[in-house]
Structure formats: structure tokens, C-alpha cells
Amino acid sequence: MAVSSEDVARAHGLDPARLVMEATVPMWNAAVSSRAACVVRCRTTSDVRAAVRIARELRLPLSVFSGGNDWLGRAVRDRGLVIDVSAMTTIEVDAGARTARIGGGVRSDALARETESHGLTPVTGTVGLVRMLGLSLGGGYGPLEGRFGLACDNLVSAELVTADGSVRTVDAEHDPDLLWALRGGGGNFGVVTAAVVRLHRIGPVYSGMVVYPWSQAESVLTRLDPLLTSAPDELSVQTIIASGRDGAPFVAVMPTWSGAPGQGPEATAAASALGEPISSQTGPTAWHALIAGAAESFPAGRHAHLRTRNVASFTPRVVRTLVEAGSSRTSPLSALSIHPFHGAATRVPVTEAAFGERRPHQMIEIVGLWEAGGPSDAAWADRVHASLADDAMPGGYPNLLGPDDVDQVRDAYGAGAGRLLAVKSRIDPDDVFTATPLPVPGR
């Protein structure tokens, strides 16, 4: 006699309404074609434990969905069981300790909005709709990294369900090796159902965007390099190469000052003096508002192909490569988003986090983006990636690397690669959880 999904759910103490067969899971990248055999809509850690047991009983591959923002669509393994934690959105702020305990599905902008009422700010990325824990497990570049480190550096503790269905709580006193691995090693060790993250008292930041015409791109990028390499911890400057609504390319700089409020205009003034701007809009803003607006530039439902490289600085050859990349896009939706890595993030010891590259650099996010049915920019993204190879540092950003980026993955973790694989072997020896790629032993 066939066993129904309801029977399977009840056998593991799961509300049958939580188990949905042949479900479609919404992904940011519309090019992802994987389809789940079933989805468990989890609301509690007990739901997640039941989902892990069900996957083992049905011999289904497992994946974890919190928001579907990963460009490779690793939240859905084809014909597998998806553990959906997107509804686990509780936020508990401890203002005295300057921490927040968050559920596995909490969005970055939701956390920022909640903590703002306490005069506190989390370390997030630049796009508010990205889930905090997915961002943090793979690193988490953002405008506050110069002052407070990456998002992963601000992960204080975590609760996770491992492949055997057990629940572990890890922190500096309890399994610190696993906490170390979670700080940059990705979701490769279990389902993180909750975590405690560090918060900071900074108040409104001074930020905005200065847009320059494409005819000035080479000179602007050249003049920008000294600003990037000498920026104080409190100043972060993101660089964007993209197109406006009219399809015309531009280069923009996005300065963010998180230091003393009165110093914002002076600290960001140099960003408006790199050439003759088309527009310059900077001013004080709340953190949640800053990161909420960025999502409008990259809505869900388009096709995407991303690559990444790190460069130590904007040398003349790197500048020429970036200008050529901006000029050769097939789709006007494609872009280069370049994130600085400096200050406090460079001072985190390798013993504290698996995220391996701690030298100052610029992380180049190569975003091939196009509408369904339109001309693809996948080949463009691959060409830009290849053209930067000779000037790039070893490794790359784990959250953006794919399984074919073997050399970059190996070098991304540096001296910590062996330790990371040892933790993986101990916690998940059967490789049940596969998220961002890990180094291949012996390569």
C-alpha cells in the first residue's frame, strides 16, 4: 500500500499542512530550473528536525531555502526535499548585550528596522531583502565591514539541526570549531534555525550615490583608487558600473560614513570630486532605509549568471579591464558591483573565522543579468572573469563561487581549508548538506 505524504508527516510529528508535494520554490534567478519533490514549510526547530528525518527516510537529497537569493539556486536540489525556513522570522533584541537572536528566515532590512528602535544596527550586506543568516554563513560584505568586520565576524552563536536530526547550540564555549566553520564556511554543516548576532550603536549613517558619465569612467576609477586604499575604517566606498533607465552606461560611487554624524559631509566629499558628476545625492539616512532601496536595482524574475574576482587595487590594467567590461555588455541590465574590504575586516585573526582572505582588496561582483527570452550575458560574465585573472588575488567570495571554480574555492579559505574540511567530516560525514562549495581534498 502506498504511504501518503500526510502519513509520512504524522509519523515524524510534523503537521501535514507543512509538507507540500511537487512544490515550486520562488528563486531570484529565473534561470534556475530545479524543481523540488517536496517542501517542508518550517516554523519551529522541531519542524526542521522532522524534515531532516523525512528526507533520510525517503532518501531524498536535502537543501535549505530561506529566501532563494543565491544565483546558482542551491536552495533547491532537483527532485529533493527543501527545508523552507523563510517563515522563521522571530527577532529578539537584547539591547544591554547589544545582540539579537534571529530566526533562520529573517531579512536584513527587517532586522535593521527592528534594532533601530533600540538605537542599534546590525552588520548587513547592501541589499535588504537578503536573509541575514544566508549572507553571514558565506561571509557578508557590506558598508560596515571597515568598522565592524563582515557579517560572519558578527555571528556570536548558532542553533543548527545536523544530518542526524540532533540540535546543536554552538558558541565560543560550546564547539568553537563549528562556530569558526559557520563564520564563512557556508550552510554545509546543518540547518541554522537561529543565531545570535552582534549589534552596534552608530545611529544614522551618511551615504548616497554620486553618478559620473561613462566618458569619465577611466579617469574616475583611476582617481578613486587612492581614496579606496586610504579610507578610514568608518568610510566605505562601493563602486557600480551599470546602465540607467535610458540604457546609457555610467560609473557611480556609493560612499557610506558610519563615524561621527557631523563629519559625514567632509568624509564623503572626495567621492563627489572624482570628475564632473551627472548627479550627486548624499545625506544622513537610517540603515534599514539604505539597504532596503538597493533591492530595487536587482528584482527577482530575471536570468542571471554571476562570477567574482578580488583585486588588490585599481591598477591601470584593472581600470582598463573594468571599462572594457562596462562597454561590452550585451544586456543593459548587467552590471559590475565592486565592494571594498578594509579596516576591521582585515584585522580578524584566521583563528576566529573560516573566511580566509583578510588582505585589503576590492571584491568585484560580475553580474550578468537579462530578461527571459532576451540576449544572454552569461558569456560576457565569463569573459570579464577571465580577463581579470592575471590581476586577481587568489580565491574569491565564497557566497558567489560555483562548484566549477575549484582553484578559487581552494584559495578562498587559505590556511584554514584543512580545518574546515575536518569540521565538515566530523559534523556531516555523509555530505548531506551542500551549499557554497568547499575545497576539494588534495587539490
Side-chain angles (χ1 to χ4, degrees), residues 31-91:
V32 174
S33 59
S34 301
R35 185 175 177 84
C38 58
V39 177
V40 180
R41 314 284 191 192
C42 298
R43 294 188 177 276
T44 66
T45 300
S46 294
D47 288 346
V48 174
R49 294 186 70 191
V52 171
R53 292 194 297 267
I54 290 169
R56 292 180 63 183
E57 178 178 315
L58 299 180
R59 297 182 180 180
L60 293 173
L62 263 180
S63 60
V64 182
F65 174 89
S66 62
N69 300 117
D70 173 44
W71 77 273
L72 283 165
R74 287 171 284 211
V76 179
R77 295 177 69 178
D78 203 37
R79 309 305 303 167
L81 183 146
V82 175
I83 299 177
D84 181 356
V85 300
S86 62
M88 299 177 70
T89 57
T90 56
I91 300 173

Side-chain angles (χ1 to χ4, degrees), residues 105-119:
V106 169
R107 284 173 44 150
S108 301
D109 54 3
L111 177 61
R113 189 179 299 107
E114 179 68 24
T115 59
E116 188 177 287
S117 62
H118 300 272

Side-chain angles (χ1 to χ4, degrees), residues 107-267:
R107 284 173 44 150
S108 301
D109 54 3
L111 177 61
R113 189 179 299 107
E114 179 68 24
T115 59
E116 188 177 287
S117 62
H118 300 272
L120 298 168
T121 302
V123 173
T124 72
T126 57
V127 180
L129 61 78
V130 172
R131 268 54 177 186
M132 269 300 299
L133 293 186
L135 172 79
S136 301
L137 294 177
Y141 287 75
L144 296 179
E145 51 78 31
R147 191 168 176 194
F148 303 118
L150 298 170
C152 69
D153 300 328
N154 288 272
L155 183 66
V156 177
S157 67
E159 174 190 271
L160 72 161
V161 177
T162 52
D164 60 2
S166 63
V167 180
R168 297 172 181 250
T169 300
V170 299
D171 56 27
E173 302 297 327
H174 305 89
D175 205 340
D177 264 6
L178 180 51
L179 177 64
W180 172 89
L182 292 174
R183 291 173 171 164
N188 292 295
F189 308 93
V191 186
V192 180
T193 53
V196 174
V197 298
R198 193 173 293 111
L199 306 174
H200 304 275
R201 196 173 298 282
I202 61 172
V205 296
Y206 195 92
S207 187
M209 178 180 285
V210 184
V211 180
Y212 294 94
W214 191 241
S215 60
Q216 298 177 29
E218 185 168 354
S219 61
V220 166
L221 292 172
T222 300
R223 293 170 184 168
L224 178 60
D225 188 64
L227 174 59
L228 295 173
T229 55
S230 64
D233 292 2
E234 299 89 347
L235 178 63
S236 173
V237 182
Q238 185 180 357
T239 310
I240 302 288
I241 293 174
S243 292
R245 293 181 179 178
D246 60 357
F250 64 81
V251 59
V253 292
M254 299 176 61
T256 299
W257 171 257
S258 61
Q263 297 175 12
E266 180 182 359

